[in-house]
């Protein structure tokens, strides 16, 4: 069963964003979250997993360019689309969503094709769909559990940005989870034992203030 896509809609006008979100949900099987505050959007990107991000037309012009750039940087590999005036319900006319939906589907198709390729983590090749990490230097194949793979994939999507522990627990174990942080720490420990040359001095899976960060471009030495 295919899960509905998750769309983050960022619009300067809260009511307009909600109205546009309802229109999107009517035309496409998707879950749309609307936000208008820049700080809230950046926090959502750190915690949530979105398939595509849609920026209101006002955020893509010269006045909104600084915020739009920050959102694109924080989005990592997630496709970011800017609404055209004809697609924005805030322009005074009914939004023309046919073109927007086509662009969303196209962006998702390109993103899925890209994610099917191995992801680089240091010298490793990470294959999320197969739940494997390949070491091309030694020929070693590292098998991951479902949770280990989800953690690694989530951190990779975040790029070089630290992800808070609470966000990882909520996104990977569920929104209503009551698990303690030691549950996550145990999985991080196991991942380090599998990937790091010296788990006590990690080069890839780093502990940051309040969370973890994946050092994707690390020039780590192969694990023996």
């Amino acid at each position: 069963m295919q899960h509905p896509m998750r769309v983050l809609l960022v619009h300067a006008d809260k009511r307009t964003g909600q109205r546009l979100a309802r229109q999107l949900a009517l035309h496409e099987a998707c879950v749309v979250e609307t936000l208008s505050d820049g700080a809230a959007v950046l926090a959502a990107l750190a915690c949530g997993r979105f398939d595509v991000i849609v920026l209101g037309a006002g955020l893509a012009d010269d006045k909104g360019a600084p915020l739009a750039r920050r959102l694109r940087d924080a989005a990592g590999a997630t496709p970011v689309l800017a609404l055209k005036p004809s697609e924005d319900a805030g322009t005074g006319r009914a939004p023309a969503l046919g073109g927007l939906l086509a662009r969303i589907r196209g962006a998702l198709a390109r993103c899925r094709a890209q994610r099917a390729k191995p992801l680089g983590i240091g010298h490793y090749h990470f294959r999320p769909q197969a739940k494997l990490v390949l070491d091309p230097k030694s020929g070693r194949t590292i098998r991951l559990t479902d949770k280990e793979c989800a953690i690694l994939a989530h951190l990779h999507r975040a790029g070089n940005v630290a992800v808070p522990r609470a966000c990882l627990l909520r996104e990977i174990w569920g929104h209503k989870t009551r698990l303690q942080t030691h549950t996550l720490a145990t999985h991080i420990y196991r991942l380090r034992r599998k990937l790091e040359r010296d788990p006590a001095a990690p080069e890839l899976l780093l502990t940051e203030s309040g969370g973890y960060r994946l050092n994707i471009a690390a020039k780590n030495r192969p694990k023996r």
Side-chain angles (χ1 to χ4, degrees):
M1 180 178 178
Q2 189 174 8
H3 296 287
M5 64 178 176
R6 293 183 61 185
V7 178
L8 175 61
L9 175 61
V10 184
H11 203 289
D13 184 88
K14 185 176 181 180
R15 290 185 179 180
T16 299
Q18 291 174 341
R19 185 163 64 249
L20 182 56
R22 288 194 293 269
Q23 291 293 321
L24 276 174
L26 285 174
H27 289 81
E28 187 75 14
C30 61
V31 177
V32 185
E33 181 174 346
T34 59
L35 292 172
S36 57
D37 177 74
V41 172
L42 293 174
L45 290 178
C47 292
R49 176 184 176 183
F50 297 98
D51 296 298
V52 65
I53 300 167
V54 179
L55 302 182
L59 293 173
D61 60 16
D62 292 339
K63 183 178 179 180
L67 175 58
R69 281 197 296 269
R70 289 182 65 194
L71 296 183
R72 289 180 187 277
D73 291 341
T78 304
V80 180
L81 303 177
L83 285 175
K84 298 177 181 178
S86 62
E87 298 166 343
D88 196 331
T91 58
R93 295 181 296 177
L97 296 182
L100 174 61
L101 292 173
R103 290 197 294 135
I104 288 176
R105 295 184 188 116
L108 290 176
R110 291 190 296 273
C111 188
R112 292 189 187 105
Q114 184 65 30
R115 288 177 180 174
K117 300 177 181 178
L119 304 177
I121 302 176
H123 75 280
Y124 291 118
H125 294 165
F126 174 37
R127 294 182 177 270
Q129 294 180 338
K131 291 182 284 190
L132 296 175
V133 173
L134 308 178
D135 185 343
K137 294 184 178 180
S138 67
R140 191 166 61 105
T141 297
I142 304 165
R143 299 188 181 278
L144 304 175
T145 66
D146 290 343
K147 290 292 190 291
E148 289 169 350
C149 185
I151 291 170
L152 212 55
H154 196 98
L155 292 175
H156 194 283
R157 281 193 298 273
N160 281 318
V161 178
V163 179
R165 293 181 179 87
C167 293
L168 286 169
L169 283 169
R170 182 166 63 250
E171 290 301 315
I172 294 171
W173 276 271
H175 288 279
K176 297 181 180 180
T177 184
R178 294 185 178 181
L179 295 174
Q180 301 298 315
T181 55
H182 66 75
T183 301
L184 175 59
T186 298
H187 284 77
I188 295 293
Y189 169 76
R190 291 172 180 167
L191 274 171
R192 283 173 172 162
R193 285 182 60 86
K194 291 182 177 182
L195 301 177
E196 301 283 4
R197 178 181 175 87
D198 180 2
E203 302 171 65
L204 293 171
L205 196 46
L206 307 179
T207 300
E208 300 272 325
S209 178
Y212 298 99
R213 178 172 66 87
L214 194 61
N215 188 11
I216 297 172
K219 296 181 179 179
N220 61 313
R221 293 173 294 174
K223 180 181 176 67
R224 292 178 180 176

